[in-house]
Amino acid sequence: MGFVYPQYEFRPSADSAAAQPVRHAVVVIGAGPVGLATAIDLAQSGRRVVLLDDDTSVSHGSRGLCYAKRTLEIFDRLGCAAPIVAKGVTWQVGKVFHGPKQIYAFDLLPEGGHRFPAFVNLQQYWLEKFLVDRALSLPNLDLRFASRVSALEPHADHVGLDVETPAGKYRIEAEWVVACDGARSPARKMLGLDFKGRVFEDRFLIADVRMQAEFPTERWFWFEPPFHEGESTLLHKQPDDLWRIDFQLGANADPQTEKEPARVIPRVQAMLGPDVAFELEWVSVYTFQCRRLERLRHGRVLFAGDAAHQVSPFGARGANSGVQDADNLVWKLCAVLDGHAPAALLDSYDAERGAAADENIGHSTRATDFITPKNAAARLFRDAVLELAPHHAFARRLVNSGRLSQATHYSASPLSTPDIDVFKGGPAPGSPALDAPLKDGWLLDLLKGGFTLLAFGETAPELPDLPIAIAAISEADDPQRLAHQRYDAAPGTVYLFRPDQYVCCRLKRFDATAIRSAYARACGKEM
């Protein structure tokens, strides 16, 4: 059975009847995956938040599909990972083909002891439904459907928003606005902002195909397959007997013509063979774009997800990067709203996630240039690498069918305190936490609050004057020793984590003065 698209009810807001515009602490624009993650995080942190969306259902078609381990860890902190993993298709192995032959395979999570898989494939409409379910369960999250923002008016201490609804237009105000309204972002246009970067000429066809197939649950990528000569093809499994197939079309393909069933069906049939029955569920044509806003913060308006940056879909860097934008931004907004940090802390959102956008754009650009060589020399190099890859490890490292999404390390973040002790391993300051199985759960379960000091040893230190939770891991708590190994930890080792589970600082021995300084720096008080 196919997905049944929910229809959410428009309900007039009391704000529309107010004599003066009602002011809210935070308004989020756009209820896609990034806007929903932002609003859920704010709400479960105790903030009242308004989320505006111009639609009354979830996105149509599979769209964003592959969700990485780090993103699943974020969804777990937001209270909605369980249905996502249960419904989704988990995978960790990819295979790369040249023509009819496999040239190599890779495993994205070869070691055990991880709570979440390397990736889960799940159509965006399912993801959004699960996120909406979570959002509607939070009493301080005001999700307003059929509510289109038609104007943004920035001021020194707030932003004015005009909201158009089936019941008429009204105005509200927000201390802060988070624009998550997608690649075409009306909010971005209202502020007169534009992307910088590259738009590639090549077009790709996405076909969601319903069929019974014997392909394994793996990512398969073909360069120049016999069923689609001279181009590339990507195959992913989805839930409900759906398969995602991406066909490279070339620069001169007409998008409207290529979406016609008369054009799509023969391409799929050539891939599957004449005896495989299938039906088309959804078809789209896209071009590669690797672009971003020069700055992600504009006064009291902050941009996240596709509204802030766009990358090619090979590598699953779009939605994953956007959810990680939200993860980075929300705790900083909360710290500013609570008076624990200056507004300048939000500049670090631009510094950290701007660097992440540059990293993702770099990976996507290199993948695009390898998949679609732009000149004879580039094609000669690409083909030589593919010929050598089955026989030589160095060549396999050069094959680029999309470097798959991983969490960004903020190595140059102004919020991180550099090491003063020598660590032979473990996550350095500016790196995301590593999960590990414990006797009674998982390590990341200890880091779901605000700032947390993780101490390895029988007793935990005390910091009564700071809003920092204390968690201790003894050797008895870590029977497999994976936590101690992954953190290069001995009795007395401590790690200070930010609310987004990134390392602020680490010490071989607890030092209260050093921890206080690292906390102040992470809150933007020593920037």
Side-chain angles (χ1 to χ4, degrees), residues 180-202:
C180 309
D181 51 344
R184 295 182 176 88
S185 182
R188 193 176 63 231
K189 295 174 183 176
M190 291 173 199
L191 297 187
L193 305 173
D194 201 359
F195 281 142
K196 293 185 177 180
R198 293 174 63 183
V199 178
F200 296 85
E201 295 180 354
D202 287 88

Side-chain angles (χ1 to χ4, degrees), residues 66 306 309 311-322 356 359-361 363-364 402-406 408:
C66 305
D306 286 350
H309 43 71
V311 293
S312 64
F314 291 128
R317 293 178 173 272
N320 286 289
S321 179
E359 178 182 290
N360 286 319
I361 286 171
H363 282 300
S364 292
R403 300 286 188 250
L404 286 153
S405 175
Q406 294 181 329
T408 299

